[in-house]
Amino acid sequence: MDRWYIWFKQLLIFISRFLIRSIHLIASLLPDFEYDIFISYRHNDNLFDGWVTEFVTRLQEELAATIKERLSIYFDKNLRDGLSDTALVAPSLEHRLRAFILIPLISQTYCDTERFSWKHEFLPFHQQASHDRLGLYLRLPSGNVGCRILPLRIHNLDSSDVHLLETTLGGHLRTIDFVYEDLGVNRPLRAKDDELPRPTGGLLYRNQINKVANAIKELVAAVKQPAPFVSPAVFGAPSILPLPTPTTTFPVAVPAAAPSLPPPPSAGPVVFLAWTSKELAARREELALVCTKAGLQVVPSTDCPLDEEEFRVRTQEAAAAATCAVHLLGNEFGRRFEEEEDCSFPMFAYQEARRLAATRPAFRQFIWYCPDEALAVKPAQKTFVNNIRNELTERCTFTSALSAMQLVQDLRSTLSQASPPPLHLDKETDIFFVYNQLDSEEANEITDRLSEEIPLELLIIEPNSEDLYKEITVRTIPKSKLAVVYFKHSADWALPFVKQIWRLVGGAGSSTPILFVGEDEPVHNRLRTFKAPRVISCIQPHQGVSEEVRRIFQQVDARS
């Protein structure tokens, strides 16, 4: 029995080795290349659990489901691929390095200038690709630029390793990460981790494999289009990302003053998407992709620098080149500055954008507060968020959007609103008070109290007939000093109604602010808020509604 088991095990090993080798036998898509993809890695990263072998297998499967053509992958499973002691390394590897794409698996031990993978794979490919007919960088169909070196990070790296990579590549390191995210752990993410409980915001192996396949697909598409190549004089473009702004340069040794790439012709507004705390890195990446698909250009397009001074400079450059700023805030305060512990990286970005907003009337800020409800918000972060709420202006929107898609829709809607000079219309009404007939009893009590001091114009909307009243509402709001949309039992009507009305009266350019106010009972009303420029949204107890309306009106009246 044992003999048959050993024989069967050896047969499986032989078959697996044959299949891995067969990957090498597929012809490259491009006639002047030996392989489509060359996997460069340290063999000790494959010894413990065969991580690299499994990665190559799963990548091949994902590519088959992503790209119509079958791509050839060179994966050296054996140490030095059978090179004898008398073999000449450079000539023996030269034909194998003639690949379209290099995927280096960046581990804790990869960035060693004396090691085989660095000396005889990474550096030679970089040199070779920089001077072949394609060049190292390709113009993608989207108009962005892709690099034929596609780094994958499988460990958290020392700063010295990051510096070596950035110096060699001539720009900030941009990787697709396969690092298991947990405190005190530094190991590669495994496929089976997707089936286990994972840290909040942790990466999914399946998603990361898909990102690699999609990045490769874009590079393949680049060589199929007319004139896909980028001039050799242009260096440092990040891999599969929006182009840097003209104030951001990524120099490579020669020439020192490389011209910057122009943005794609179809690029829309520029969004400064501030770097976040580590917990929200994956969500920031998702938001960046949604923004790009929506026609928005996102800056900065690189990973957050480790050096504090460099972080400050890059943040200021990106914010200065942007139309608006988006800040993601969660449970964590984020990395603090060494000499200024009360300030975190996300706080610095917010303060810098706020400073710009004070001098540029068209500049807008969006705060996306998306904490994990299952975890406590750190005290420093809670204070920071409360301070932001207390200093909100009409050009700073605080939102708890449920998804990146919803946030981008709101962002585009706000940015697309024309911002004409304030209209100096004669205001015929002090307060235009709108409510649903379902809330008549409570609304009558509130308006009775208000009408003792302030003239009101009321509009009562019958259930399921709001469309009949939109024209009246849109016509009356600009003639009022303050518009109020009130709800208690009609929350399902009130929220979509106020969003539609806000857009119809000019959104951020409206001459009349809207107070969207609801009562705190029933409990689900507390979730019905709408944050947008020229909208004040709040939930109050019944007795507090009239006081809040009176307070807001006094502020508006004092400014008019």
Side-chain angles (χ1 to χ4, degrees), residues 166-239:
E166 292 181 340
T167 302
T168 305
L169 292 172
H172 284 274
L173 181 64
R174 178 69 175 177
T175 63
I176 298 177
D177 290 346
F178 285 82
V179 182
Y180 184 82
E181 297 179 351
D182 201 1
L183 187 63
V185 177
N186 190 10
R187 67 165 176 83
L189 183 70
R190 305 166 302 180
K192 61 183 179 182
D193 290 329
D194 288 3
E195 309 301 325
L196 303 174
R198 61 193 180 100
T200 302
L203 300 174
L204 282 171
Y205 185 96
R206 178 70 179 81
N207 289 349
Q208 301 308 98
I209 283 284
N210 182 254
K211 289 179 184 178
V212 178
N214 289 335
I216 294 171
K217 181 179 181 180
E218 286 204 80
L219 290 170
V220 170
V223 298
K224 294 181 179 180
Q225 63 183 356
F229 316 125
V230 176
S231 167
V234 180
F235 294 93
S239 179

Side-chain angles (χ1 to χ4, degrees), residues 283-343:
R283 182 166 291 192
R284 180 187 182 274
E285 185 173 346
E286 177 193 7
L287 179 58
L289 289 173
V290 175
C291 285
T292 302
K293 290 180 179 179
L296 305 173
Q297 185 181 352
V298 176
V299 294
S301 58
T302 59
D303 288 338
C304 182
L306 297 176
D307 181 76
E308 292 183 0
E309 186 57 33
E310 187 176 0
F311 166 82
R312 289 188 176 96
V313 171
R314 287 196 160 282
T315 295
Q316 291 168 346
E317 289 178 345
T323 309
C324 66
V326 177
H327 309 269
L328 277 68
L329 303 179
N331 303 73
E332 300 292 334
F333 188 51
R335 178 182 168 186
R336 301 170 185 257
F337 289 94
E338 290 185 5
E339 297 182 0
E340 194 178 357
E341 290 191 352
D342 291 337
C343 183

Side-chain angles (χ1 to χ4, degrees), residues 435-451:
Y435 62 93
N436 193 287
Q437 193 178 50
L438 294 173
D439 299 321
S440 293
E441 183 177 347
E442 294 84 357
N444 289 337
E445 294 176 9
I446 294 169
T447 53
D448 285 347
R449 289 193 292 267
L450 287 171
S451 61

Side-chain angles (χ1 to χ4, degrees), residues 242-423:
L243 303 180
T245 60
T247 56
T248 305
T249 57
F250 298 85
V252 171
V254 183
S260 58
L261 288 169
S266 60
V270 180
V271 177
F272 167 51
L273 183 53
W275 283 304
T276 66
S277 56
K278 186 177 179 180
E279 59 170 326
L280 295 177
R283 182 166 291 192
R284 180 187 182 274
E285 185 173 346
E286 177 193 7
L287 179 58
L289 289 173
V290 175
C291 285
T292 302
K293 290 180 179 179
L296 305 173
Q297 185 181 352
V298 176
V299 294
S301 58
T302 59
D303 288 338
C304 182
L306 297 176
D307 181 76
E308 292 183 0
E309 186 57 33
E310 187 176 0
F311 166 82
R312 289 188 176 96
V313 171
R314 287 196 160 282
T315 295
Q316 291 168 346
E317 289 178 345
T323 309
C324 66
V326 177
H327 309 269
L328 277 68
L329 303 179
N331 303 73
E332 300 292 334
F333 188 51
R335 178 182 168 186
R336 301 170 185 257
F337 289 94
E338 290 185 5
E339 297 182 0
E340 194 178 357
E341 290 191 352
D342 291 337
C343 183
S344 66
F345 278 28
M347 178 185 285
F348 177 86
Y350 167 78
Q351 292 172 344
E352 179 61 25
R354 181 173 171 79
R355 183 186 65 79
L356 283 173
T359 59
R360 290 164 50 184
F363 190 89
R364 300 189 178 280
Q365 281 182 278
F366 298 83
I367 316 298
W368 187 15
Y369 187 46
C370 44
D372 186 336
E373 299 294 341
L375 301 175
V377 178
K378 295 297 176 64
Q381 181 72 346
K382 186 178 295 184
T383 301
F384 177 36
V385 171
N386 288 337
N387 289 339
I388 291 176
R389 282 174 163 159
N390 291 335
E391 60 189 20
L392 287 176
T393 66
E394 64 182 31
R395 289 187 286 117
C396 183
T397 301
F398 190 96
T399 178
S400 298
L402 298 178
S403 67
M405 185 68 72
Q406 179 185 338
L407 177 69
V408 172
Q409 287 175 347
D410 293 342
L411 187 151
R412 288 186 65 189
S413 175
T414 301
L415 294 180
S416 65
Q417 296 290 343
S419 299
L423 298 175

